[in-house]
Amino acid sequence: MRHNFGAGPCILPQEVFKQAAQAVLDFKDGLSILEISHRTSEFEGVVDEATRLVKELLNVPEGYSVIFLQGGASLQFAMVPYNLLPEGQTASYLDSGIWASKAIKEVSTFGKANIVASSKPDNYTFIPKDFEIPADSAYFHCTSNNTIYGTEMFSFPETNVPIVCDMSSDILSRVIDVSKFGLIYAGAQKNIGPAGATVVIVKDEILGKSGRKIPSMLDYQIQASNGSMYNTPPVFSIYVSMLNLRWLKSKGGVAEIEKENKAKAYALYTEIDRNPLFKGTCTVEDRSRMNVCFVMNNPELEKPFLKFVEDNGVEGLKGHRSVGGFRASMYNALPITSVHHLIDLMQTFAEKHQ
Ligand SMILES: *Cc1c(COP(=O)(O)O)cnc(C)c1O
């Protein structure tokens, strides 16, 4: 068995893979999910159920639309200012990692980004906290989990400015209060389903105010009023996302998976702090539960350690090139037994290299 700690596209539950494989062969009356029209009532049922499950699992209040789009989280970096930033106005951004900085880069086409704070000089090892959001900002953009650096926001600012949040790598991993946000977006391939779909949850009342002429495909209002079906949606990604959302619901929902995610993170960080060979790379209070980044006190041991774990069934542990070392991504579907397996390997390796 392989233990998949990859950062994304990531592990999904085995039963979801099995059901998805079955639907490729026979979804309805011998027809594959890949060959039916997206306008059939069967597929409309899939989109409806996936949308309903997102609303139910995240307790999305009235007055919000949930839509499945394409283009990944990266297209949202541009769609957000296109739809929410009026000509001549400023949007505020928290620069907490590479994804945040890529989002900031896209603003220049539409207007001005005001960077309220940045942890870049410290290689993004923490989440900046003491900052002001100017009241005249069109919106405030932040990244709830910095996938590459392994930091996570455990509180969000109190402000009257609409908060826009890139939750690509921790959506559905913990309970959040959606009513505190104007817009949430997430590429599916980390905790929702396979690559190809992007989930957007948007408060309807913040839309339609930019005064810009927006191409239909990039207009949240048009996408929302067409129920994610303005054009052919990414049918397979939405279908498998629906299966994964069903799985999450059957596990007891977000509050239950949050307990497991806390237990997994606690176990691994405890070992990193205890084992003399390893150390974490981030400020302790900002440590992510989804992406655990760590290095070795003796960098020369990193290659042999990586080979040792790979020889023992561990996949995807190599850190991002901008941090080095290791990154253990522990999305919802990663069982705690995989975390215990990794911890055992860290201990065995340490015994050999005291
Ligand atoms: C992976 C990731 C992205 C990029 O997602 P794409 O769907 O590949 O565009 C953006 N933001 C965060 C936080 C991510 O983890």
Side-chain angles (χ1 to χ4, degrees):
M1 174 192 170
R2 301 299 288 175
H3 301 270
N4 186 1
F5 289 88
C10 78
I11 183 170
L12 292 170
Q14 280 301 315
E15 60 188 86
V16 167
F17 288 138
K18 285 196 189 118
Q19 290 163 358
Q22 181 53 39
V24 169
L25 296 172
D26 182 358
F27 172 66
K28 178 90 193 345
D29 300 336
L31 291 179
S32 167
I33 182 75
L34 303 180
E35 65 180 333
I36 60 162
S37 162
H38 59 289
R39 302 287 176 196
T40 54
S41 59
E42 285 78 21
F43 188 73
E44 284 180 355
V46 170
V47 174
D48 285 349
E49 184 176 342
T51 307
R52 249 188 300 114
L53 283 168
V54 170
K55 287 185 176 169
E56 182 183 333
L57 289 164
L58 289 173
N59 206 3
V60 177
E62 287 290 309
Y64 283 76
S65 296
V66 172
I67 31 180
F68 288 85
L69 302 177
Q70 301 191 56
S74 299
L75 185 60
Q76 296 309 306
F77 298 164
M79 265 178 87
V80 164
Y82 214 154
N83 283 264
L84 302 180
L85 182 58
E87 205 77 53
Q89 285 196 31
T90 299
S92 289
Y93 278 73
L94 182 64
D95 180 23
S96 59
I98 285 179
W99 295 119
S101 73
K102 286 192 168 164
I104 291 164
K105 188 168 154 243
E106 294 298 320
V107 181
S108 63
T109 309
F110 307 97
K112 217 175 146 297
N114 163 47
I115 299 171
V116 296
S118 173
S119 47
K120 189 174 184 189
D122 297 283
N123 201 30
Y124 296 120
T125 48
F126 69 98
I127 304 274
K129 291 179 198 74
D130 293 322
F131 53 81
E132 296 274 322
I133 302 168
D136 62 353
S137 308
Y139 59 86
F140 166 71
H141 180 283
C142 57
T143 313
S144 56
N145 184 69
N146 297 283
T147 325
I148 291 172
Y149 303 92
T151 60
E152 192 166 7
M153 293 177 79
F154 294 107
S155 67
F156 294 90
E158 291 294 330
T159 171
N160 292 325
V161 172
I163 301 179
V164 174
C165 189
D166 176 358
M167 292 195 187
S168 292
S169 53
D170 68 351
I171 193 164
L172 297 165
S173 73
R174 56 170 166 152
V175 175
I176 47 151
D177 181 355
V178 173
S179 73
K180 292 248 163 30
F181 297 88
L183 190 149
I184 291 166
Y185 63 89
Q189 69 274 20
K190 280 146 191 160
N191 237 345
I192 301 170
T198 311
V199 171
V200 172
I201 304 168
V202 59
K203 193 173 194 172
D204 300 324
E205 68 175 41
I206 71 170
L207 297 177
K209 294 179 176 167
S210 78
R212 295 180 191 277
K213 205 161 163 14
I214 304 170
S216 305
M217 278 294 288
L218 302 180
D219 187 329
Y220 292 124
Q221 278 185 318
I222 289 177
Q223 293 283 6
S225 63
N226 283 277
S228 307
M229 297 275 247
Y230 179 75
N231 72 328
T232 316
V235 288
F236 192 59
S237 179
I238 294 175
Y239 180 68
V240 182
S241 298
M242 182 206 74
L243 294 175
N244 190 43
L245 293 162
R246 274 186 193 165
W247 170 84
L248 180 54
K249 185 177 169 179
S250 75
K251 295 266 296 178
V254 176
E256 283 304 311
I257 209 82
E258 178 172 12
K259 285 185 203 156
E260 272 185 42
N261 289 331
K262 278 185 180 166
K264 289 188 288 185
Y266 179 78
L268 185 53
Y269 283 120
T270 301
E271 178 61 19
I272 290 167
D273 292 339
R274 187 206 63 80
N275 191 317
L277 259 48
F278 299 93
K279 64 175 180 210
T281 53
C282 302
T283 301
V284 171
E285 64 177 10
D286 299 328
R287 283 173 162 181
S288 166
R289 296 187 195 128
M290 291 288 102
N291 310 97
V292 175
C293 293
F294 57 104
V295 294
M296 293 182 89
N297 288 311
N298 176 1
E300 283 178 7
L301 287 178
E302 290 189 348
K303 260 199 180 140
F305 176 70
L306 191 64
K307 180 167 187 323
F308 174 66
V309 297
E310 285 174 354
D311 288 348
N312 285 283
V314 168
E315 197 70 36
L317 196 71
K318 197 174 186 332
H320 190 272
R321 60 188 180 281
S322 57
V323 179
F326 311 100
R327 171 173 54 173
S329 298
M330 308 196 297
Y331 299 111
N332 287 352
L334 185 86
I336 195 161
T337 47
S338 289
V339 180
H340 290 146
H341 178 70
L342 175 61
I343 291 170
D344 285 345
L345 294 175
M346 291 164 78
Q347 292 176 352
T348 307
F349 193 83
E351 279 160 24
K352 286 194 206 147
H353 294 86
Q354 291 293 3

